[in-house]
């Protein structure tokens, strides 16, 4: 279960100075420093990992600074961090990473202040908003039989600091429905995913009709070949 707190969370507060809530933007999309509150969202798994690896946050921040180019990889302890910005298409984030720790892979999206994507809007793209959208979506689709092969990506950490915002989710090795549709090799390899696309979009549109959830288009639906499942990512609330 995702927990929301306004108190210290172990080493994270020590190594991320100025951790703040992203819910206090003025109408110009800029921080109103007088209204900023400390805020952090994390899962029980994130708490366990930080407890088991006290230097995890510190090492991540140090290693990512040297991974300035897509494809670069770094190892620290029994963990591996890779810059996968070249593999991911996004219009809001600055960098994307894959972190392997204790045999589990995580996807990390970083949005640097002043270097965010052209479509970034703090009202819709902050970690807390995306986590809330995922929670609502998960609740909506869990009882719909036609969507039993669809799941919403699990979020493990969301926070914003003085320089960057981060969103940490499970990493799913797959392809977006957009990629499969427009890539001839992928289309031939996964014809079933192409056929499912229209049906899934119609079902999701119906499921989310009375919510504020958006951006559940083919660019944000991953097909994971190893499981045969479809995974919703990067959902927003408007």
């Amino acid at each position: 279960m995702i927990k929301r707190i306004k108190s210290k969370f172990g080493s994270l507060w020590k190594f991320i100075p100025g951790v703040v809530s992203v819910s206090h933007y003025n109408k110009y999309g800029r921080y109103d420093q007088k209204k900023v509150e400390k805020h952090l969202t994390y899962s029980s798994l994130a708490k366990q990992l930080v407890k088991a690896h006290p230097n995890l946050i510190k090492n991540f921040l140090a290693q990512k600074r040297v991974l300035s180019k897509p494809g670069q990889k770094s190892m620290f302890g029994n963990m591996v961090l890779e810059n996968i910005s070249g593999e991911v298409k996004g219009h809001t984030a600055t960098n994307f990473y894959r972190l392997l720790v204790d045999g589990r892979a995580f996807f990390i999206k970083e949005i640097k202040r002043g270097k965010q994507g052209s479509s970034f809007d703090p009202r819709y793209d902050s970690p807390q908003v995306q986590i809330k959208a995922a929670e609502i979506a998960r609740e909506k689709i869990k009882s719909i039989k036609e969507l039993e092969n669809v799941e919403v990506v699990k979020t493990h950490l969301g926070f914003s600091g003085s320089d960057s915002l981060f969103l940490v989710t499970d990493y799913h090795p797959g392809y977006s429905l957009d990629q499969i549709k427009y890539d001839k090799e992928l289309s031939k390899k996964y014809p079933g995913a192409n056929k499912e696309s229209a049906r899934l979009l119609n079902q999701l549109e119906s499921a989310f009709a009375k919510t504020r959830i958006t951006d559940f288009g083919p660019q944000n639906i991953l097909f994971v070949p190893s499981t045969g499942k479809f995974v919703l990512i990067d959902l927003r609330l408007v």
Side-chain angles (χ1 to χ4, degrees):
M1 179 181 294
I2 295 292
K3 299 178 180 178
R4 290 179 176 77
I5 61 173
K6 293 184 180 179
S7 58
K8 291 185 178 180
F9 175 50
S11 59
L12 183 62
W13 294 92
K14 181 178 180 182
F15 299 120
I16 310 292
V19 177
V20 293
S21 169
V22 291
S23 60
H24 298 292
Y25 281 89
N26 62 26
K27 64 180 180 180
Y28 302 107
R30 304 190 185 98
Y31 268 123
D32 184 341
Q33 297 292 350
K34 295 180 180 179
K35 296 182 179 180
V36 165
E37 297 175 0
K38 288 186 176 181
H39 185 97
L40 175 67
T41 306
Y42 67 97
S43 68
S44 57
L45 177 59
K47 183 177 180 179
Q48 292 170 16
L49 287 175
V50 171
K51 186 176 181 179
H53 305 280
N55 293 321
L56 177 59
I57 302 297
K58 179 180 180 181
N59 287 336
F60 165 72
L61 292 175
Q63 294 300 317
K64 82 175 187 66
R65 293 190 186 100
V66 302
L67 302 180
S68 58
K69 297 180 180 179
Q72 290 184 321
K73 186 183 299 186
S74 176
M75 297 183 67
F76 49 100
N78 64 339
M79 290 165 268
V80 180
L81 181 67
E82 182 179 2
N83 185 329
I84 59 171
S85 299
E87 300 177 16
V88 183
K89 289 184 178 181
H91 303 290
T92 60
T94 309
N95 294 305
F96 301 96
Y97 304 93
R98 176 170 50 231
L99 174 66
L100 184 64
V101 54
D102 291 349
R104 185 161 182 164
F106 298 92
F107 176 80
I108 303 175
K109 177 168 68 173
E110 176 187 25
I111 299 173
K112 284 188 176 182
R113 302 192 189 288
K115 296 183 180 180
Q116 64 267 27
S118 58
S119 299
F120 175 74
D121 189 322
R123 295 171 297 175
Y124 314 127
D125 298 306
S126 68
Q128 284 79 6
V129 173
Q130 289 203 314
I131 289 172
K132 184 62 177 178
E135 289 178 343
I136 295 173
R138 191 174 294 110
E139 185 67 23
K140 285 292 183 181
I141 70 174
K142 71 179 184 181
S143 59
I144 301 176
K145 186 177 180 180
E146 291 81 4
L147 294 175
E148 60 185 5
N149 62 338
V150 178
E151 61 184 58
V152 181
V153 69
K154 292 181 180 178
T155 304
H156 296 291
L157 192 68
F159 61 89
S160 58
S162 56
D163 298 317
S164 299
L165 294 86
F166 291 91
L167 183 69
V168 182
T169 70
D170 279 339
Y171 174 81
H172 292 276
Y175 308 94
S176 72
L177 292 183
D178 256 0
Q179 286 178 291
I180 295 174
K181 180 179 180 179
Y182 295 109
D183 187 295
K184 291 183 179 180
E185 291 187 8
L186 291 177
S187 292
K188 291 179 180 179
K189 193 171 183 179
Y190 306 113
N194 253 339
K195 293 179 181 178
E196 278 280 84
S197 183
R199 184 191 71 81
L200 286 177
L201 291 173
N202 286 334
Q203 289 288 341
L204 290 172
E205 187 172 354
S206 177
F208 300 151
K210 295 182 179 181
T211 72
R212 295 187 294 122
I213 296 174
T214 186
D215 270 19
F216 50 88
Q219 74 279 7
N220 287 333
I221 302 176
L222 295 180
F223 172 67
V224 184
S226 61
T227 64
K229 294 265 189 179
F230 295 88
V231 181
L232 301 180
I233 61 171
D234 266 0
L235 300 178
R236 306 164 95 200
L237 291 177
V238 295

